Amino acid sequence: IGRSFIDFIHPRDRNTFASQITSGLIPKIVNQAQEKAQASESQGSTMVCRIRRYRGLSSGFGVEDTPVSFMPFLLKFTFKNISDEEGTTIYLVIHITPFFSAFKTPNEVLTKAVSFIMRHSANGNLEYIDPESVPYLGYLPQDIINRDALMLYYPGDLAYLQEVYESIVKEGSMPRCKTYRMLTHNGHYMKVETEWSAFINPWSRKLEFVTGKHYIIEGPENPDVFQYPDPEKALKHTDEEKNKAQMYRDDIIRIMSEVLTKPAEIVKQQMTKRCQDLALFMESLMEEQPKVEDELRLEIQDTDPSFYERDSVMLGGI
């Protein structure tokens, strides 16, 4: 009690926490004040961050020697108006729910299908991932946003995924694909199946981003997805395998950037039709020009000629 809450947040999450309040919450409460909202609580927003665990002194006095550990939580923010003798004060209320790994045993097969959504741009840059993915992947959204999404795919599955991306780009979408492996935070891989869709910019007729709805089939060998990777237990890849995997990644990026797509052709046809419709509409407007006798005429009333003479003198002077 009395300590600053941000001191307990992981240093890597503090900027995200601060920006969530300044850009996400404060504008809402300001808008509500302007609109004189009657609600006692504002609309909440959420984020995921790591909070420091208590370093207890079970024995001895060496609290500084106790390693600092953090635990992931889902935070829900709301503003609340509390009235007392001094008036009404606005408080920030944070409802915190802990995240635990969704897997209990190695290579656990999920009986109930669980899914999360991930979106990346045409250059592979990860733009969005569901917070629901945290207990399955072990990554916090801010840890992998703006990273290369293709690095999450198991190198041995990239050849198949290249075919998948070719199909996505050409057709605009793909039904649930075969099982492939996705990297978790602890360095192991879980098995997923994905429904794919692509967005084509109607103006540039180029692929903007790819969205995948990932269905989790089987958990990783290490069920605790929040652990940090153990270099000794991590899968070893030869230089040849690494180079081959990078070649496949480069090919996937090239496919998303260059391959002529069926959706792009459809968009082109739609844009061409719109242009034709607009041209016909403009032609019809030109054909329907008003006749001379229908034009509006400005009626000028007869006035004293002396006014004109005076105005002429003034204009000449100017």
Side-chain angles (χ1 to χ4, degrees):
I1 299 294
R3 294 278 300 275
S4 174
F5 181 74
I6 203 166
D7 290 342
F8 296 91
I9 294 176
H10 195 287
R12 284 165 55 187
D13 298 333
R14 287 176 185 173
N15 286 339
T16 308
F17 176 82
S19 64
Q20 183 75 20
I21 294 173
T22 55
S23 64
L25 283 173
I26 290 179
K28 290 181 181 178
I29 198 68
V30 168
N31 291 337
Q32 284 200 349
Q34 291 173 346
E35 295 168 4
K36 297 181 179 180
Q38 300 298 320
S40 60
E41 295 185 10
S42 68
Q43 183 70 30
S45 62
T46 60
M47 69 163 290
V48 182
C49 76
R50 287 155 289 211
I51 298 178
R52 196 178 76 200
R53 303 181 80 162
Y54 173 65
R55 291 194 294 179
L57 283 175
S58 56
S59 61
F61 299 95
V63 69
E64 293 182 357
D65 300 329
T66 308
V68 178
S69 61
F70 293 84
M71 187 173 173
F73 288 85
L74 176 68
L75 277 60
K76 183 177 180 181
F77 302 88
T78 53
F79 279 113
K80 190 171 184 179
N81 297 324
I82 297 179
S83 301
D84 53 19
E85 297 86 3
E86 299 178 359
T88 301
T89 308
I90 299 174
Y91 285 87
L92 174 63
V93 180
I94 309 176
H95 184 266
I96 303 177
T97 308
F99 270 124
F100 299 99
S101 177
F103 307 108
K104 302 295 185 288
T105 57
N107 305 113
E108 181 179 346
V109 178
L110 298 184
T111 53
K112 185 180 179 181
V114 178
S115 65
F116 63 90
I117 292 173
M118 198 161 65
R119 185 182 70 236
H120 66 76
S121 61
N123 63 2
N125 193 47
L126 187 63
E127 295 180 339
Y128 172 81
I129 185 168
D130 272 345
E132 288 81 358
S133 67
V134 173
Y136 300 94
L137 279 177
Y139 294 105
L140 272 61
Q142 57 264 33
D143 288 342
I144 55 174
I145 292 293
N146 295 323
R147 284 176 53 184
D148 187 355
L150 305 184
M151 295 298 292
L152 294 173
Y153 303 149
Y154 181 69
D157 295 335
L158 286 170
Y160 168 65
L161 287 169
Q162 181 178 332
E163 298 176 6
V164 169
Y165 273 89
E166 285 177 351
S167 179
I168 298 166
V169 170
K170 288 178 180 176
E171 301 297 330
S173 62
M174 184 179 180
R176 197 153 160 171
C177 67
K178 296 178 183 177
T179 303
Y180 65 97
R181 286 159 285 189
M182 185 176 286
L183 183 66
T184 61
H185 182 263
N186 61 20
H188 293 264
Y189 291 85
M190 67 178 184
K191 293 182 179 179
V192 298
E193 294 176 0
T194 304
E195 294 175 357
W196 305 90
S197 63
F199 173 75
I200 309 297
N201 188 314
W203 300 107
S204 65
R205 296 197 291 274
K206 290 185 178 180
L207 186 143
E208 289 273 327
F209 56 80
V210 172
T211 303
K213 186 175 184 181
H214 305 287
Y215 294 87
I216 302 162
I217 305 301
E218 184 181 300
E221 185 178 348
N222 179 2
D224 187 358
V225 295
F226 293 113
Q227 281 187 3
Y228 284 90
D230 185 349
E232 296 181 359
K233 296 181 180 180
L235 293 171
K236 306 293 182 182
H237 298 287
T238 64
D239 291 339
E240 183 181 352
E241 289 173 334
K242 291 178 182 177
N243 293 334
K244 194 173 182 180
Q246 188 57 46
M247 181 190 70
Y248 281 122
R249 293 189 194 103
D250 293 341
D251 285 344
I252 291 173
I253 298 296
R254 179 187 56 78
I255 288 166
M256 289 191 287
S257 304
E258 297 178 3
V259 174
L260 186 64
T261 66
K262 180 179 175 182
E265 286 299 310
I266 293 171
V267 168
K268 183 179 178 181
Q269 292 170 8
Q270 289 174 345
M271 292 301 293
T272 303
K273 187 176 184 304
R274 287 176 187 172
C275 290
Q276 290 173 349
D277 292 343
L278 181 60
L280 289 171
F281 177 68
M282 295 301 291
E283 286 176 7
S284 67
L285 288 179
M286 296 295 289
E287 290 171 358
E288 294 174 6
Q289 288 184 353
K291 297 178 182 179
V292 177
E293 57 269 18
D294 296 333
E295 291 180 355
L296 294 174
R297 291 185 176 84
L298 182 62
E299 294 183 1
I300 302 177
Q301 295 179 354
D302 292 335
T303 54
D304 187 348
S306 61
F307 286 107
Y308 296 118
E309 293 172 4
R310 186 192 64 190
D311 292 344
S312 298
V313 172
M314 290 177 64
L315 288 170
I318 292 170

